[in-house]
Amino acid sequence: MKHTIYSGMMNGLSVDRCTRDGEYNMIKHWHPEFEIQYFISGRRYFFIEDQTFALKPGSMVLVNSGQVHNTFSDKYIYHDRVLLLFENEKFTDQLSPFGINLEDFFAKNWGVIQIPKSDQEFVAQLFADLAQEVNDKHFIFQAAAGLKMAELMVYLMRLKYSGSMEEIPKKTRAEGNEVVDQLTQYIRENYATVGSLDELARIFYLDKFYLSRLFKKNTGHTITEFINIQKIQKAQKLLEDTEDSIAEIGKAVGYDNMTYFNRVFKKYIETSPLQYRKKQIAYKTSLREKNNY
């Protein structure tokens, strides 16, 4: 069961702290916001792209914009974590005077770091203070929240440049890397027309069950899951950059059944293709207006 300790939301940012004492396995997904998760107690596994990390108290997860990720239960079910989601554009002006470039920082440091034990209480309180600003919404709370964000990022940058940023080792790749790399490349190049598992097994001259196990062990994805992710990511780009109909885009990425296309798209993006397109149009319109285009 989930128990929320605190939560808050403002334009471009949401933060919450909760505990769970039941098994919880999040579906793989991705989003344009940056994500930080901080684990106060308990143990979990966290998957980012094709890497799996084992989390413990004091572990901080940094997820870059657009990265495929999820979290899932270990044998230890209970955990207490903070989740922070925020948009780059909403904090660029506030963070740039400190020399903080979020895109650059997350591109270079995504993964999991271990906060020193001496700093763990300070970091937990920093998230709580941020949530209180966002939740209370007192006078100029947006500026106050921006300062808390700057304080968090300055701390992480100091941790990195002092050499105290302890990265948690990624799970090593298993045997058969060359085959998996070839299959990964084949799917990325042929995502719209890739055949069944039987066909892939024939192409790579391997037993289909062995190929499935090998791919899952090395990438963290099932083959079907990886194919769908490639299709949906391409569909996102077509929805943003073209005026093709939803049906045309679905067929272009390999979905002849529009009901199935909508269902898979919503599974990963948490909204329908139509609503996703409307949101992107609205965002680009506001960006043009902001820059007087």
Side-chain angles (χ1 to χ4, degrees), residues 6 17 38-43 55-60 80 82 112-129 152 155-156 159 164 166 168:
Y6 60 68
R17 177 181 172 185
Y38 179 59
F39 280 76
I40 294 172
S41 65
R43 294 179 181 271
L55 308 180
K56 60 184 180 179
S59 294
M60 182 177 288
D80 179 350
V82 180
V112 180
I113 60 174
Q114 189 64 26
I115 302 300
K117 193 169 184 178
S118 59
D119 294 347
Q120 289 177 14
E121 186 175 342
F122 160 75
V123 172
Q125 188 60 50
L126 187 55
F127 282 114
D129 292 343
L152 173 62
Y155 168 77
L156 292 176
L159 198 64
S164 301
E166 177 191 347
I168 294 180

Side-chain angles (χ1 to χ4, degrees), residues 112-269:
V112 180
I113 60 174
Q114 189 64 26
I115 302 300
K117 193 169 184 178
S118 59
D119 294 347
Q120 289 177 14
E121 186 175 342
F122 160 75
V123 172
Q125 188 60 50
L126 187 55
F127 282 114
D129 292 343
L130 174 60
Q132 185 169 355
E133 288 291 349
V134 174
N135 190 50
D136 292 347
K137 292 181 170 60
H138 291 317
F139 180 61
I140 61 173
F141 72 92
Q142 296 96 333
L147 289 174
K148 288 297 178 184
M149 286 291 296
E151 187 175 0
L152 173 62
M153 295 307 303
V154 166
Y155 168 77
L156 292 176
M157 293 177 75
R158 283 179 171 175
L159 198 64
K160 175 185 177 181
Y161 290 110
S162 68
S164 301
M165 182 178 277
E166 177 191 347
E167 295 186 4
I168 294 180
K170 302 177 180 68
K171 185 178 179 181
T172 57
R173 294 279 294 272
E175 76 282 354
N177 289 357
E178 185 176 351
V179 172
V180 172
D181 290 342
Q182 290 174 356
L183 177 54
T184 298
Q185 186 64 27
Y186 178 83
I187 292 172
R188 283 178 171 151
E189 292 175 353
N190 302 278
Y191 62 89
T193 58
V194 66
S196 65
L197 179 57
D198 288 317
E199 183 179 336
L200 289 173
R202 286 196 298 271
I203 292 172
F204 286 89
Y205 301 101
L206 290 171
D207 175 78
K208 67 178 181 180
F209 299 109
Y210 173 74
L211 186 62
S212 295
R213 289 195 301 271
L214 190 65
F215 193 83
K216 174 73 172 179
K217 189 173 184 179
N218 276 275
T219 68
H221 298 287
T222 67
I223 292 175
T224 299
E225 185 176 56
F226 186 74
I227 292 170
N228 278 327
I229 287 173
Q230 305 311 305
K231 290 180 176 182
I232 298 304
Q233 288 180 331
K234 180 61 176 179
Q236 283 181 278
K237 185 171 178 58
L238 293 173
L239 287 165
E240 294 175 21
D241 298 342
T242 76
E243 296 182 358
D244 295 348
S245 70
I246 304 298
E248 289 172 333
I249 290 172
K251 289 181 179 179
V253 299
Y255 295 108
D256 292 325
N257 185 311
M258 288 303 99
T259 300
Y260 184 62
F261 172 48
N262 275 273
R263 186 164 67 247
V264 176
F265 192 95
K266 194 168 185 177
K267 172 183 175 182
Y268 291 110
I269 311 301

